[in-house]
Amino acid sequence: MSAVVRPISPAHRAALVELLDELIEFDAEERQVALELIDDAIARPDESGYYALVAELDGAVAGYVCWGPTPMTHGTYDLYWIATAPRFQRRGVARALTAAMDERILPDGARLIRVETSSRTEYDSAQNLYPRLGYDEAARLRDFYSPGDDLVIFMRRLV
């Protein structure tokens, strides 16, 4: 069975809190920021600039993606968060979510998507996922987050 992707709604919030809590990669501060963006995407996406979709598998929330247009650019978008619950990983959830995101932003003139991640070992799965989704490493800022923790920027060209 493939993932069903839907617009985020208030009914998804509790399941997304649980999903964030399951991800060992995210520390408490990262979970808080992710939840703030989820809340903005639910409550006021057009004003906040944060948009989100959820993927469901087997009747449960399997993952979500949150993105928005990059200020002061033409057709560039930031992929802020993409997460899949551990029990649903490697089942095409991230691919379904990014494909659905692309469908929504292409009509608005999207041409580039940027995503930032940490070089910490906890983020190895993200660093391996993005190239499988068509993203190339575009830059690495050494010691950005803290000594030994680089900022890794991936980009994907849509057109």
Side-chain angles (χ1 to χ4, degrees), residues 30 116-127 130 137 139-154:
E30 291 167 322
E116 299 178 355
T117 192
S118 166
S119 67
R120 292 188 337 237
T121 57
E122 295 92 343
Y123 282 86
D124 283 351
S125 62
Q127 291 179 50
Y130 296 124
E137 185 175 321
R140 182 178 290 257
L141 304 179
R142 304 278 179 214
D143 302 320
F144 182 83
Y145 293 109
S146 64
D149 186 4
D150 305 342
L151 165 65
V152 185
I153 301 171
F154 289 89

Side-chain angles (χ1 to χ4, degrees), residues 11-20 22 60-61:
H12 295 120
R13 189 181 190 280
L16 290 170
V17 169
E18 288 179 27
L19 185 152
L20 292 171
E22 291 178 29
V61 171

